[in-house]
Amino acid sequence: MKLMKLGTRPDTFFTSGAVRSVHTEVATDLQIQVDHCLFRLHKFPLLSKCLLLQALCADSDAVELPGFPGGAEAFEACAKFCYGVAITVGAHNVVPLRCAAGRLGMTEAADRGNLAAKLDAFLSSCLLRRWKDAVAVLRATARHAAACEELGVTSRCVEAVAILATDPGAASASAGSSASPWWARDVADLGVDLFWRVMVAIKAAGTVNARAVGDALRAYARRWLPSVANGWYLLEDQADPEVVAKNRRLLVERMVSLLPAERGAVSCSFFLNLLKAANVIGASPASRAELTRRAALQLEDASVSDLLIPSCAGETLYDVDAVMAILEEFALRQAAAGVPEACSSSSHARGHRRSCSAESSEFEGARRSTSAPAASHGALVRIGSLVDGFLMEVAKDPNLPLDKLVAIAEAVPDCARPEHDHLYRAVDTYLRMHPGMDKSSRKKLCRVLNCRKLSETASMHAAQNDLLPLRIVVQVLFFENARAAAQSGPNRVAGGMAGGVKALLARTRREADVEEVKTEQRLPATSLAGARGDDGWSADGLKRAASRISTLRTKLEEEEEDAEDEAFVHRASAGRLVRSASSRVRAALCDCAIPAGKPKRMLSRLWPSTRGVTERPAREQFSGQ
């Protein structure tokens, strides 16, 4: 650290309690009150160099200087300079001394070679040319912000620090700073306002690349925003909550304004962490919108934990609206880049009505820059996996509305999901967390699934899932049958489908038993009496078997009345179009080698065989994942 010595006389100042004076043969004739200290000095050496004291002492010999910059220590150093007593000036005290000299009017107008001119020369020629000293001086200006701004000291320090940071030769002067870039750690110790001004000056120089700016922002965030778990508190000891909240908002908003425009300069995780902080502290909508836009540009690089933004409203665990806004921004980016219709979102591909925000995507997309390219197929697949992982987490929230879950699931392009196993797991989790869902809600939720894209394990789990609508179970069995037929022929089909058919029949049997109990309660007791034959085929038994078959047929017919039913696909093994759910079941039963001439007897034999059917190993394996 560079030092400057002013004056040559020995120190003759002494302190007696709250009074400070100087040893001389001449009695003092001036009293100056600074804070709680009384100075007894002489008019001649002080008034000759201080314009302020000249004006104040014209009518009185007692002067009070309230709110003096630097306090009594700075005033004593100025007084010693006036007496010619030796003082030492360095980066540790140059700022309060310069502010005190400015307050007293110790300029060239009062006396040639005055204190203010000497301090300015020392700053320019020495302190502001060395990195450590320049940063120390700039940091000291925060304690005297108003006076330094008025004197121009802060601007000079900011400019000097920016010049040194952009000068490759200044790196050697930064001993002990190992951050990348080398100046990031020292700049991170500055306050929010000074950091913002330095970074603006560094970016304006144009010699520092965007990645270095991003690294400096991350270093500053680690310094002042240590973790989300701590509530993104600033490391400040302030008792006033309003001041703390204001500083938090200022910090995040200033950092958002400094984000480099270049893609990849800052990670998507950093954008999302800033968005978490912005939500917690209530940052401006413009800042949150910018973070949403930037996160959407690099969404494929995010992780599921990055998307788990805590909700401040308290209705849900996570802020799914923020994630939905990111996905909508991503869709606008794709539209602006001219993505083909084959990769449009699944809700569009299925003919669902577009939302208001989606209807305006053409206008918004045309307004955006075309410099951001469309996401590649690999990036889309990563985004699809990311969203499905997010859905698996938020589906555990019992307060999550169904519409929001469906909206997020449908916001991902269909080509981004080569398989639907994770999406099915999210649907299954949501159904288990909401056991009281009605039939229409379950249908609405399951429309996001594509049974063609379920793996064999997921299909077997779905075939035995009592929470799924019956139509989904039938579709799963049909597509699994078609896949098995394409791979191994009819023999594999008969063996592979037997368990699925039994599971379906077991489920319909349970539903039929409920209907049967209700019917028996309504019929007279005498009508239920009857003797069974040796083979168990009594009149009542035939009625119950017929009732079960009728119940299955009725439920399948009710499923066909769904207004938004999807078009059925061609069967790969038979080469014909299956047009109804009931015909699918008949086709599955035929593949299982059930004789066509005795369907009722075979069904009556299948039903008893399902009494011991328990949860399949596939269910245990899939649910445990």
Side-chain angles (χ1 to χ4, degrees):
M1 179 180 292
K2 287 292 185 178
L3 300 175
M4 178 181 67
K5 290 186 177 180
L6 299 175
T8 58
R9 294 181 181 179
D11 189 359
T12 56
F13 278 68
F14 68 95
T15 301
S16 177
V19 179
R20 298 187 184 184
S21 185
V22 58
H23 283 291
T24 61
E25 298 178 355
V26 181
T28 59
D29 56 356
L30 178 62
Q31 294 184 2
I32 302 176
Q33 184 75 34
V34 179
D35 292 343
H36 301 289
C37 186
L38 178 63
F39 288 88
R40 291 177 178 175
L41 305 173
H42 302 85
K43 288 184 178 180
F44 175 72
L46 292 178
L47 270 61
S48 63
K49 295 182 179 297
C50 302
L51 296 177
L52 177 63
L53 295 181
Q54 292 177 12
L56 295 178
C57 294
D59 301 327
S60 174
D61 295 336
V63 177
E64 184 177 0
L65 301 177
F68 192 80
E73 297 297 329
F75 179 81
E76 182 177 349
C78 292
K80 288 180 178 181
F81 175 81
C82 294
Y83 279 91
V85 176
I87 59 174
T88 302
V89 182
H92 64 286
N93 65 349
V94 66
V95 171
L97 280 180
R98 182 61 184 90
C99 294
R103 176 72 176 275
L104 293 173
M106 301 178 69
T107 63
E108 296 298 298
D111 187 22
R112 186 174 181 180
N114 215 339
L115 180 59
K118 290 184 179 295
L119 294 177
D120 287 340
F122 180 56
L123 279 170
S124 301
S125 62
C126 187
L127 294 183
L128 297 185
R129 293 190 177 185
R130 297 168 56 87
W131 174 257
K132 286 292 187 182
D133 291 336
V135 173
V137 173
L138 178 60
R139 191 182 300 116
T141 60
R143 294 189 292 270
H144 312 281
C148 289
E149 285 292 345
E150 184 180 354
L151 297 172
V153 177
T154 304
S155 299
R156 292 170 59 192
C157 292
V158 168
E159 182 180 356
V161 170
I163 291 175
L164 291 173
T166 56
D167 183 10
S172 59
S174 179
S177 180
S178 59
S180 178
W182 61 267
W183 44 266
R185 181 180 300 175
D186 294 328
V187 173
D189 291 333
L190 298 174
V192 178
D193 185 64
L194 293 178
F195 174 79
W196 180 79
R197 294 175 65 172
V198 169
M199 293 303 299
V200 169
I202 290 176
K203 293 177 65 176
T207 57
V208 176
N209 58 47
R211 186 173 295 275
V213 174
D215 291 340
L217 292 177
R218 283 195 295 272
Y220 195 78
R222 286 192 299 267
R223 172 68 174 83
W224 297 101
L225 301 175
S227 66
V228 182
N230 294 332
W232 294 89
Y233 292 149
L234 290 177
L235 301 181
E236 296 177 349
D237 185 13
Q238 295 179 349
D240 191 350
E242 295 183 1
V243 175
V244 174
K246 180 180 178 181
N247 287 339
R248 293 175 188 168
R249 288 191 295 269
L250 178 63
L251 171 61
V252 174
E253 291 172 2
R254 287 294 174 85
M255 293 193 70
V256 171
S257 67
L258 292 172
L259 292 173
E262 291 79 1
R263 174 184 171 86
V266 179
S267 65
C268 185
S269 177
F270 183 73
F271 290 133
L272 292 172
N273 283 335
L274 275 183
L275 183 58
K276 293 177 183 179
N279 282 359
V280 170
I281 66 179
S284 64
S287 298
R288 283 179 284 179
E290 177 64 14
L291 290 171
T292 298
R293 186 184 71 84
R294 298 300 299 274
L297 292 176
Q298 301 174 214
L299 186 58
E300 62 271 18
D301 300 327
S303 63
V304 175
S305 60
D306 295 332
L307 290 180
L308 297 178
I309 303 173
S311 176
C312 298
E315 299 177 356
T316 57
L317 293 177
Y318 302 107
D319 191 349
V320 293
D321 292 333
V323 177
M324 190 64 204
I326 295 175
L327 294 175
E328 289 179 352
E329 188 69 31
F330 173 78
L332 293 177
R333 167 196 165 192
Q334 295 293 98
V339 177
E341 190 68 22
C343 284
S344 61
S345 63
S346 58
S347 60
H348 296 176
R350 294 173 185 170
H352 289 195
R353 186 182 183 276
R354 302 175 66 183
S355 62
C356 296
S357 59
E359 290 174 353
S360 60
S361 61
E362 291 83 359
F363 172 77
E364 293 292 337
R367 187 174 59 85
R368 295 178 183 273
S369 171
T370 58
S371 60
S376 63
H377 178 69
L380 287 176
V381 172
R382 290 194 296 272
I383 291 174
S385 177
L386 171 70
V387 173
D388 290 349
F390 173 77
L391 289 173
M392 286 191 294
E393 291 296 328
V394 299
K396 302 175 184 177
D397 184 3
N399 297 325
L400 179 65
L402 174 61
D403 292 340
K404 292 187 177 182
L405 182 74
V406 173
I408 293 178
E410 293 181 342
V412 178
D414 187 65
C415 59
R417 285 193 180 103
E419 65 176 16
H420 277 215
D421 282 15
H422 289 169
L423 183 60
Y424 167 70
R425 194 174 302 165
V427 170
D428 179 63
T429 301
Y430 191 85
L431 289 173
R432 295 182 187 280
M433 293 300 299
H434 301 79
M437 288 180 61
D438 56 24
K439 183 177 179 181
S440 61
S441 298
R442 287 188 289 119
K443 287 182 180 180
K444 181 178 181 181
L445 174 62
C446 293
R447 287 195 192 102
V448 302
L449 290 174
N450 186 346
C451 298
R452 286 177 174 272
K453 296 185 178 183
L454 293 179
S455 66
E456 182 178 357
T457 303
S459 296
M460 294 305 297
H461 183 278
Q464 305 169 72
N465 195 338
D466 296 336
L467 300 176
L468 293 178
L470 186 60
R471 177 170 296 278
I472 297 297
V473 177
V474 173
Q475 290 180 3
V476 169
L477 292 173
F478 169 73
F479 288 124
E480 189 64 23
N481 179 27
R483 178 163 52 191
Q487 292 176 354
S488 302
N491 294 333
R492 170 80 178 271
V493 174
M497 287 298 295
V501 172
K502 290 181 180 180
L504 175 61
L505 293 176
R507 177 178 175 183
T508 55
R509 180 181 180 277
R510 288 193 296 270
E511 295 176 353
D513 287 342
V514 174
E515 298 293 334
E516 180 182 0
V517 170
K518 295 180 180 179
T519 304
E520 289 176 351
Q521 291 176 350
R522 291 193 300 266
L523 293 175
T526 56
S527 64
L528 298 177
R532 294 179 177 271
D534 295 337
D535 58 354
W537 281 90
S538 64
D540 292 338
L542 291 175
K543 289 180 180 180
R544 284 193 293 270
S547 174
R548 292 167 185 164
I549 298 173
S550 177
T551 301
L552 174 60
R553 181 169 57 252
T554 301
K555 287 190 173 294
L556 292 176
E557 291 175 354
E558 290 176 356
E559 295 287 346
E560 292 176 354
E561 296 175 359
D562 189 354
E564 297 184 27
D565 185 22
E566 298 179 356
F568 294 125
V569 298
H570 288 278
R571 291 191 60 198
S573 60
R576 59 188 179 83
L577 182 65
V578 181
R579 300 185 179 274
S580 67
S582 57
S583 62
R584 293 185 184 188
V585 173
R586 289 195 297 271
L589 295 176
C590 290
D591 289 335
C592 291
I594 298 178
K598 301 179 180 180
K600 292 184 179 180
R601 182 172 295 275
M602 292 302 299
L603 287 175
S604 67
R605 293 179 180 177
L606 281 174
W607 264 309
S609 67
T610 61
R611 291 184 180 272
V613 174
T614 58
E615 296 293 328
R616 299 296 186 193
R619 164 178 289 196
E620 298 175 359
Q621 175 185 356
F622 200 82
S623 299
Q625 294 179 357

